[in-house]
Amino acid sequence: ALRPSGSFKDRGIQNLMLDMCSRGIKAVVSSSGGNAGLATAVCGRKLGIQVTVVVPETTKALMLDKLRAEGAEVIVHGADWNAANELAQELVQKEGRGFVHPFEGPLMWTGHASLVEEIKQQWAEAQPGGQPPGCVVLSVGGGGLLCGVLEGLEKVGWGNIPVITTETHGAASFAAAHKEGSLV
């Protein structure tokens, strides 16, 4: 599969881990309860980088099995991602490993931006000589995809296209941060 985790996260994490590999990093820690951890594990296996994924207690057994099947060391810790992330940060500091954040960072966003390049190519094939899309609608969780899409839109000359964001009910951190004008 082109995207082994089934997620856009493969794009950004691959870009980040290729950079880490070029800098000689041989081991990384990620904090994730899902696709980011799986993308990290897949990339780690392919690049020969040791991967530890710290997941919250809410992570489903199927995901734990997938992570282990990709060769990742899995540590289950804490009631939520914040607790898992705190332990991951401690391991990075204590062991000197690289850190693969599930959604933050310019290298991650640049990897996600490649999605827009593919969309533009497919759009041109489907609409030869046509107008660009009237808007882009995407789901926002941690904001990594949004940052990548915005970067990609600028890169392909579509920076004026409106972006409409949606969120899962009960996980509206982007809307709350927008309302507050700061991270929440």
Side-chain angles (χ1 to χ4, degrees):
L2 292 175
R3 305 286 167 235
S5 75
S7 169
F8 70 91
K9 291 186 183 272
D10 292 317
R11 295 170 182 271
I13 288 172
Q14 176 179 302
N15 195 50
L16 174 62
M17 289 185 69
L18 283 169
D19 177 77
M20 290 178 166
C21 195
S22 74
R23 293 184 286 126
I25 294 173
K26 302 287 186 205
V28 298
V29 178
S30 179
S31 56
S32 170
N35 290 331
L38 184 56
T40 303
V42 169
C43 281
R45 179 181 50 76
K46 289 181 176 182
L47 296 172
I49 296 175
Q50 180 186 355
V51 173
T52 300
V53 182
V54 183
V55 300
E57 296 162 358
T58 55
T59 305
K60 295 186 179 352
L62 177 62
M63 182 55 71
L64 298 175
D65 292 344
K66 287 181 177 183
L67 291 167
R68 291 182 180 118
E70 291 295 340
E73 174 189 5
V74 178
I75 299 172
V76 179
H77 176 80
D80 56 26
W81 176 78
N82 288 326
N85 190 53
E86 285 179 25
L87 178 59
Q89 294 294 326
E90 289 173 21
L91 293 173
V92 167
Q93 294 302 315
K94 185 171 127 181
E95 299 175 5
R97 295 178 177 211
F99 180 61
V100 178
H101 195 284
F103 51 84
E104 287 184 359
L107 288 170
M108 184 86 69
W109 305 331
T110 297
H112 297 336
S114 66
L115 178 79
V116 179
E117 294 171 37
E118 290 180 28
I119 291 170
K120 184 170 185 179
Q121 179 182 351
Q122 292 173 12
W123 188 267
E125 291 168 5
Q127 308 263 345
Q131 295 292 321
C135 70
V136 173
V137 179
L138 66 115
S139 180
V140 178
L145 178 60
L146 174 61
C147 289
V149 166
L150 292 173
E151 180 180 320
L153 289 170
E154 287 294 328
K155 185 175 182 181
V156 303
W158 285 356
N160 62 333
I161 294 175
V163 177
I164 300 168
T165 60
T166 64
E167 289 183 293
T168 303
H169 181 69
S173 57
F174 182 73
H178 190 268
K179 182 179 179 182
E180 291 293 319
S182 64
L183 296 175
V184 293

